[in-house]
Amino acid sequence: MSFTLEIGEKAIDFNLPGTDGKTYSLENFKDSKYLVVFFTCNHCPYVIGSDEVTRKTVERFQPLGVEFVGINSNSKNTYEDDDFPHMVERMKDYKFPWKYLYDESQEVAEAYGALRTPHFYVFDENRRLVYTGRGVDSPRDVSKMTVNDLERTLEELTSGKPISVSLTNPIGCNVKWEGKDKHWMPAEACDLVF
């Protein structure tokens, strides 16, 4: 079995606190036609570099029934800036148009097989995975971006077209696993595509 959720698999449920003081599970998004779950954090330069591109994508596709959920699974013991209070502060400062949830136990990151920050998972109306991987091809410096895979996927999904590329390698910092070196990745967490 692959480390990362495979195309066609169902979204895995979660029960996580959000920066808005509420707790969220998949049930909270049942009225949204499509769902994007992405693993992110507070400190990663690849996240920070591409957040505004992600914001534009969210603003474009939310009116078409796409809900976006960011999940921070990084160990606060590896990067203190990734703790929950800093998440709340970041959302207050930037007012991102997505839910921002905290996976302190890292169980959700493990269940989804999150490899990096950011790492995107796009689910269709049946909550089946249709795309996983990077948002853009140059998240750290979007001035060099030539491809926006997230936007292309959502264009195809919302217009009823088949997904032309369903798998890319996420580009970013490793998920920071509790008790491990900051560059550690699980042995079975190899690249998604070769």
Side-chain angles (χ1 to χ4, degrees), residues 1-58:
M1 185 183 128
S2 167
F3 177 75
T4 298
L5 205 62
E6 295 187 311
I7 300 303
E9 289 189 304
K10 289 277 273 189
I12 297 166
D13 205 4
F14 47 77
N15 191 33
L16 298 174
T19 54
D20 59 2
K22 299 176 185 168
T23 299
Y24 291 91
S25 69
L26 284 180
E27 178 71 13
N28 292 100
F29 308 105
K30 69 177 192 296
D31 294 334
S32 302
K33 190 165 185 187
Y34 309 110
L35 182 65
V36 176
V37 173
F38 63 104
F39 290 84
T40 183
C41 66
N42 298 328
H43 86 278
C44 171
Y46 296 88
V47 167
I48 292 165
S50 57
D51 266 341
E52 290 307 316
V53 172
T54 304
R55 183 197 299 273
K56 287 191 181 93
T57 302
V58 174

Side-chain angles (χ1 to χ4, degrees), residues 16-24 84 88 91 98-101:
L16 298 174
T19 54
D20 59 2
K22 299 176 185 168
T23 299
Y24 291 91
F84 191 70
V88 173
M91 286 301 271
W98 53 77
K99 303 288 183 265
Y100 194 18
L101 314 183

Side-chain angles (χ1 to χ4, degrees), residues 86-97:
H86 282 92
M87 289 172 63
V88 173
E89 192 179 308
R90 193 154 196 267
M91 286 301 271
K92 206 163 96 177
D93 290 347
Y94 292 96
K95 298 175 176 53
F96 292 123

Side-chain angles (χ1 to χ4, degrees), residues 54-97:
T54 304
R55 183 197 299 273
K56 287 191 181 93
T57 302
V58 174
E59 288 169 348
R60 179 178 167 194
F61 288 98
Q62 266 181 342
L64 300 177
V66 185
E67 184 66 61
F68 294 77
V69 180
I71 298 176
N72 174 20
S73 301
N74 275 0
S75 166
K76 66 184 179 197
N77 295 316
T78 307
Y79 277 95
E80 195 181 313
D81 284 357
D82 282 332
D83 68 8
F84 191 70
H86 282 92
M87 289 172 63
V88 173
E89 192 179 308
R90 193 154 196 267
M91 286 301 271
K92 206 163 96 177
D93 290 347
Y94 292 96
K95 298 175 176 53
F96 292 123

Side-chain angles (χ1 to χ4, degrees), residues 133-144:
R134 67 192 186 188
V136 299
D137 63 346
S138 181
R140 190 170 183 150
D141 181 0
V142 292
S143 70
K144 296 177 180 165

